[in-house]
Amino acid sequence: MGVPFLDPRPMNAEEFFAFTAARPDDEKWELIEGEPVLNASPSFLHQIIATNLIVALVGLARETDAKWVAVPGIGVRLSGINVPIPDVLIRPNDRLAGVECSDMIVAFEVLSPSTANKDLRWKRKAYAALPSLFQYVVVAQDAVEVVSYDRQTGFAERRFETADAELDLPIIGARLSLRDIYRDTGLL
């Protein structure tokens, strides 16, 4: 068999999108520093929390005729070699075509054991460098705990740790109850 040749240069975003277009739809790939990374299948708790976020945010958007949209599974082009995919993102509701955006205003990541380090370190710094991003929110899936990093505070950490706490999302003029985020998880 021999040792296969590996292209030493990083994969760029266009090559990444061509690569993922040929992969099964149930695979979640991200491009991190030019390397395609396959994420593990999410747990039921992860998916329930992500669904709760979408349901709450879509409800808010419809109630207020918002100029933003909340969606899961869309790549965010941070550079030519970085296209991470937040669990849920909020972006302006114009130009809703394609598989990527570069104008996300809020990113949500539901922590998983396999992604926690990347989400808390690399993604936090990478998302903060995106000029359009106002807030990065990390949601634990094994405890009622949400951490928010906001541009207006220099991305300083703010923690919310009770079911009665409310996560404020000032850029969209909304608040999310942790009780709603953790509904049906058994953690309340």
Side-chain angles (χ1 to χ4, degrees), residues 20-145:
T20 57
R23 305 297 310 157
D25 287 343
D26 62 342
E27 292 182 358
K28 181 181 173 187
W29 289 87
E30 297 180 288
L31 185 63
I32 307 296
E33 301 297 327
E35 294 292 327
V37 177
L38 176 62
N39 289 311
S41 295
S43 69
F44 278 105
L45 281 179
H46 180 285
Q47 295 301 73
I48 289 169
I49 292 167
T51 299
N52 288 344
L53 286 167
I54 288 291
V55 167
L57 292 166
V58 167
L60 285 168
R62 288 179 177 162
E63 287 172 13
T64 62
D65 197 26
K67 301 288 187 237
W68 51 268
V69 62
V71 294
I74 298 297
V76 179
R77 188 184 295 231
L78 300 177
S79 72
I81 61 168
N82 288 307
V83 185
I85 301 177
D87 290 314
V88 176
L89 66 82
I90 298 174
R91 66 171 304 273
N93 68 357
D94 58 353
R95 300 182 322 271
L96 298 178
V99 295
E100 67 173 303
C101 74
S102 60
D103 57 356
M104 159 177 80
I105 57 177
V106 181
F108 294 88
E109 293 288 357
V110 180
L111 289 184
S112 299
S114 63
T115 66
N117 190 49
K118 178 177 61 174
D119 291 346
L120 291 170
R121 296 183 190 278
W122 187 89
K123 283 189 176 182
R124 182 174 56 86
K125 289 172 81 175
Y127 289 158
L130 185 66
S132 63
L133 185 86
F134 283 88
Q135 192 167 3
Y136 177 48
V137 179
V138 178
V139 182
Q141 70 170 297
D142 59 352
V144 175
E145 186 174 5

